[in-house]
Every structure is written in C-alpha cells, then in structure tokens.
Amino acid sequence: MNHGPDDQGPHGLDSDELALRRMLQHAVEEIEPRDGTLDHLRRAVPARRARKRQALVGVAAACLFVGTAVPALVHVSNVTDSSVNSSNAGHGEQAQGGAGQGEVAEGGENTSGGSSGKTQDEGKGSEKDEDKDTGTGPGTGSGSPDNPLATSPVGVAACTADQLGVANQTADVPDLSGTVYGTFRFSNISTADCTVNGPGTLGFTTSGAADATKISSLRHVAGDAAAGLPDPSQELTGLVLKPGDAYDVKFAWVPSETCPTTSDPSPDPTPDPTPTENTTGATEGTSTGGDTGTSTQLMTAETTADGSVTITNTTEAGAPTAMVVVSNACAGTIYWTGVLAGA
C-alpha cells in the first residue's frame, strides 16, 4: 500500500507506523521501573566501562610480555643447545682419544671433561676422605661408619701422654685350647676432654724357652682364631674421653706349639747294690781275695721348659705402656683389637 505525502503524520511517520507506535505505547504504558533502577544504571554503566578499560590494559600488557619474553626464550634455547652440543662432543672425544683432547673454553676449563668430570673428581676426593675416616692400623673392620662414635668430633684435641694413664692390665687363665685373653685399659687422668683415634702399638718380648721367631702379632678380624675377642664392628676410630673415662684394647694369645720338654738325669733313690766277685788263681804262694762294690742305676725325668711372653701396648701418644706376662707360652700368635669403649 502506497502512502502519499498527505498520509504522513507530524513526525514524518506513516499512518500505519503511527498506529503501531500507539499500540506499543499502550502496551507498555502500565510498565514502570522499580525503585532504584536509575541509581543502578548510574553505577553499572561506569563500572562496565572500567572493566572494559582494564581488559584492554591487560591485553596490552600480555602483548608486551610476549613481545619481550619470546626473544629471551629464543636466546636461552640457543645457549642451552650450544652447551649440550659441546658437552656431548667433549664426551665423545674423551671416549675415543682420552681426556684432554677437547677444546678449551673461556676461563681455562676443558670442555672434553665438562662439569661432570669435575664432579667425578670431587667425588673421588670425598671417597678418599671417607677412606681416611674408616679406621687406623692394619686389619679389617677397625671402624664402623654406622657407629655414632666412629668419627672424631671437631675441636677436641688428641690425647697426649700426660693425659692418659694405665687403668688396668689383665690376662685371663687359659681356656681348654690354651688361648689366653686379656685387656689393656687406659683412662683420661686429666681435667680436659681429649680424643683417642687409634689403639697405639703392640709389642712383645720373650724369655726362657719362648722362640721369638715363632711369635707374630695380627690385628683381629672376623673369623680369625681369636673368636673370643669382640666383633671388629665394635671398634672405634675416634672416641672422646672425658675426665675419668677409659677405653680398652683387648688381645688374645693363641698358641701354635707347646713349650719343649727337657730331660734331666737324676739318681735312683734306691740303688741296687750288686756284689762282684773277682777270683784269680794263686800262683807262687799268693793267696786269693775278693773285692765287693755297688753300682748306681740312673733314671731320666722329662720336664716342660719354662717360657713366657710379655705383651705390651703403648698408647698412640707414645706413653704410657701397659704390659702383661703370659706364662707357658713359647710359640703362637697375638691377636689384638682397636679402640673399644670402656665399660
């Protein structure tokens, strides 16, 4: 339907549009906004605009961060790749031609070994330090790393000769096999703490029928002939002695031969007299006579030769020295322990 200029209303709308407008206005004329709607709109519109501005600022900041982070990441990646390649190349050259053939990087470090080689050297050094702390003196099992007393504390000086004294020196009676066990005990006689790091030295002297060439001394190890000695795991490589405290060094004399026997001739206490008659023929008027006498019977008695071994133990400080005498000892082996905590 075409409308001419005469059909237009005062607002430039057609009659149909005016009718539709009136219908819409009539439909919503009873609708009214709730109380506070205008105030809500006054607050919500600026808040929405602020959120939009914050979103725009966040996007701009993210773009700036990406723009600066990507070049740095690319640079780090290039440096890491070059380090990995040089390290791999150095390891390859070392495997083929040995260490020392790689190129020298800045600072004088050889790239053939890399940082891993340096770490391995430091590990070896630490292993050597651990070996130094695992015991003193010959024999195995002279210290146990599980023992909390097996390391010398820092700051406590070693015991001197003036700080130590002989507290006890004993030897037990021989057992059924003839083995003799004994103990040397030393105590701290000073007023200051000190550290004992080893059992000192053990020596021996012989007398009588004892043969020094048939006697030896060995540190006690698990499974040896001195089964009555404490297990080597109980030995300490470092022990702090407070004033009055003591430590022990135990030993065992294990004979390998008995002392020799000697034969001493002795006269029979009841000699048997036997008369002897001597009859000679008489010639030229001489008379005959007889001589009588006694002869002594000798008996041989076997006795064991007297031999003994004097065992000594001198502290690590060089003094004092404890000693015990083992009787009826002519040949054998002396087994001795490390430092043991005194009872």
Side-chain angles (χ1 to χ4, degrees), residues 164-175:
L164 297 176
V166 178
N168 200 1
Q169 45 192 1
T170 59
D172 300 335
V173 296
D175 60 12

Side-chain angles (χ1 to χ4, degrees), residues 86 93 108 141 157 162 207 222 261 287 322 328:
S86 63
E93 292 178 1
D162 296 335
S207 63
T261 58
S287 62
N328 193 24

Side-chain angles (χ1 to χ4, degrees), residues 257-304:
E257 299 178 12
T258 59
C259 290
T261 58
T262 59
S263 299
D264 294 332
S266 59
D268 188 354
T270 57
D272 184 15
T274 56
T276 57
E277 296 181 357
N278 186 8
T279 304
T280 56
T283 57
E284 298 179 356
T286 60
S287 62
T288 62
D291 295 331
T292 61
T294 60
S295 62
T296 303
Q297 301 290 330
L298 299 180
M299 302 295 291
T300 300
E302 292 185 353
T303 60
T304 301

